[in-house]
Amino acid sequence: MGNHLNEYIPDYAVTPGEVLEHELEIRGMTQQELANRTGLTPKHLIAILKAKASITPDTAIKFERALGMPCDYWLNLEANYREVLARLDEEEQLADDLDWLKRVPVSDMVKLGWIKKYKDQKAQLVELLNFFGIAEVKQWQQMWPNLSIAYRQHNKHEIFPESVSAWLRQGELQASGIVCEPYDKSHFRTVLEQVRSLTTADPDHFVPELQRLCAEAGVAVVFVPALPKTGISGATRWLNKDKALIQLSLRYKSDDHLWFTFFHEAGHILLHGKREMFLEGTNGLDAEKEQEANRFAEAQLIPPKAFMAFIAEGVFSKQRICEFAVDMSISPGIVVGQLQHRGLLDMKFCNDLKRRFKWVHE
């Protein structure tokens, strides 16, 4: 994509009216005579001379016949003039919008390869606008209108809506490259049964397989590294009525968190509306729906009856946890995470049974 900031942009624009006035002087032709020859009213002609009115194709043809200068010449003059005006307006707008640049994690996005780095601030701003797919900064608020409201402070950490939107946008861009079948609710439920067995697999295997299975049911799954000041572990939203998106950040980098987050997001897709967006880690506004998604994830990961029977045994040794995990065809780290969450196992115990993940760039 070309970057006009690398090209010469004049800081003024010659109006077609100025050129027309010059041509009249050369010919010794008065404005009234041109009006008579073209059929244009003197008032309209003055408006063109003062750049208050544009030269339309109809007017350009009239000038061609009255002045002997091609129609294309006049139309090109008008087009060039309007383009220069637009560029000058944009330069002014970019200068006003540079403040927004400070609130976006540009350096982190560059490191992750999401955007290119530019020394010139205006060029960097244009790069960001291209990334977000918006014409001006004011469109950012329209595209992500609820982030400031829905995104409550997470614990004591400062949250930047601009960082959150950048993370979400990268997910959209990645999801656009995933071809999905139209969403099928019953098929997606079937897929989730198959996904449980993937919890014991390595990322090299489970990532493409998870994406393939979910895409067949109309759900795009993407893995996007969390940006600083986002505090997000996952997100769910609908890209259109036939394609849902589950976005995962590996924020906690352990298998129990990863898989719980995935099934939690899947719960939102199956249980809640297509117009809603859910961000995990936000202390979301709808506590009831978050609890519903939590219960769904727990039940999907470990069948409730089997888990209650296991808990009733009261033996949470590493060996017993691993045996139960094998019986359930899931990773032992998930069992550990669930026991810790319920307060049945100290947060310091058995963490070595959890599998750790990391991004390639780390």
Side-chain angles (χ1 to χ4, degrees), residues 58-355:
D58 180 58
T59 304
I61 290 171
K62 287 179 167 62
F63 285 170
E64 178 181 76
R65 291 174 181 164
L67 301 171
M69 301 177 73
C71 170
D72 285 352
Y73 173 79
W74 295 107
L75 291 177
N76 286 336
L77 267 181
E78 184 66 44
N80 291 337
Y81 170 63
R82 296 297 164 188
E83 182 181 355
V84 170
L85 279 187
R87 294 296 188 194
L88 291 173
D89 286 345
E90 188 195 27
E91 284 295 302
E92 192 174 332
Q93 184 63 53
L94 288 174
D96 291 341
D97 288 344
L98 282 177
D99 226 24
W100 181 72
L101 198 60
K102 300 171 188 174
R103 299 197 296 275
V104 181
V106 173
S107 59
D108 292 289
M109 293 169 72
V110 170
K111 286 177 189 173
L112 291 167
W114 298 0
I115 57 173
K116 292 179 181 177
K117 177 72 174 174
Y118 289 92
K119 290 182 180 178
D120 180 81
Q121 281 199 309
K122 286 182 182 177
Q124 192 67 70
L125 180 56
V126 169
E127 174 75 353
L128 269 179
L129 294 175
N130 288 337
F131 170 80
F132 280 108
I134 54 178
E136 296 176 11
V137 171
K138 64 183 176 183
Q139 268 77 53
W140 175 82
Q141 188 66 35
Q142 292 174 10
M143 296 300 295
W144 289 273
N146 301 318
L147 281 187
S148 298
I149 302 168
Y151 210 91
R152 294 178 174 180
Q153 295 289 26
H154 179 73
N155 298 332
K156 295 179 181 178
H157 302 301
E158 190 176 17
I159 299 300
F160 278 38
E162 291 83 1
S163 297
V164 178
S165 66
W167 183 78
L168 290 171
R169 175 60 174 166
Q170 180 63 17
E172 290 174 8
L173 293 172
Q174 287 183 210
S176 67
I178 298 177
V179 179
C180 290
E181 295 294 323
Y183 175 67
D184 185 322
K185 191 172 187 176
S186 61
H187 189 182
F188 188 48
R189 284 187 180 276
T190 303
V191 162
L192 294 182
E193 288 299 316
Q194 297 172 270
V195 169
R196 285 182 73 252
S197 63
L198 293 178
T199 65
T200 59
D202 291 326
D204 287 348
H205 173 68
F206 79 65
V207 170
E209 189 63 7
L210 178 65
Q211 290 178 321
R212 182 187 68 79
L213 287 169
C214 290
E216 289 176 356
V219 179
V221 178
V222 297
F223 292 80
V224 182
L227 291 169
K229 298 181 179 178
T230 54
I232 292 183
S233 52
T236 305
R237 60 202 182 281
W238 288 82
L239 300 176
N240 56 54
K241 65 183 179 67
D242 288 325
K243 187 176 183 179
L245 169 60
I246 290 178
Q247 186 169 338
L248 304 168
S249 73
L250 292 187
R251 181 181 169 212
Y252 292 101
K253 298 183 172 63
S254 62
D255 63 350
D256 61 319
H257 278 103
L258 166 65
W259 290 111
F260 187 86
T261 301
F262 169 77
F263 280 100
H264 178 102
E265 304 305 340
H268 282 310
I269 289 173
L270 289 168
L271 304 172
H272 304 134
K274 290 188 175 183
R275 293 185 178 181
E276 297 176 271
M277 176 172 71
F278 297 95
L279 294 170
E280 312 317 328
T282 62
N283 302 329
L285 296 179
D286 199 326
E288 186 179 339
K289 288 180 180 176
E290 291 305 315
Q291 285 303 314
E292 287 174 357
N294 282 342
R295 288 192 293 270
F296 177 86
E298 289 171 1
Q300 285 291 312
L301 282 166
I302 308 177
K305 283 184 181 179
F307 196 33
M308 292 311 293
F310 172 68
I311 290 172
E313 290 178 20
V315 180
F316 306 136
S317 65
K318 287 185 184 179
Q319 182 181 343
R320 187 66 191 103
I321 288 172
C322 289
E323 288 171 352
F324 178 69
V326 170
D327 291 341
M328 295 296 103
S329 300
I330 56 171
S331 162
I334 291 171
V335 181
V336 172
Q338 288 297 305
L339 289 171
Q340 290 175 338
H341 178 70
R342 290 169 183 253
L344 298 170
L345 187 67
D346 192 287
M347 297 300 284
K348 297 174 184 175
F349 294 163
C350 300
N351 287 327
D352 55 332
L353 292 181
K354 296 180 182 181
R355 302 178 68 198

Side-chain angles (χ1 to χ4, degrees), residues 20-38 45 49 62-63 65-68:
L20 177 60
E21 194 167 22
H22 178 66
E23 293 298 331
L24 291 178
E25 284 178 15
I26 292 173
R27 289 166 176 74
M29 187 184 293
T30 64
Q31 293 175 20
Q32 184 61 54
E33 183 183 346
L34 182 62
N36 293 340
R37 288 179 181 276
T38 58
L45 203 53
L49 289 166
K62 287 179 167 62
F63 285 170
R65 291 174 181 164
L67 301 171

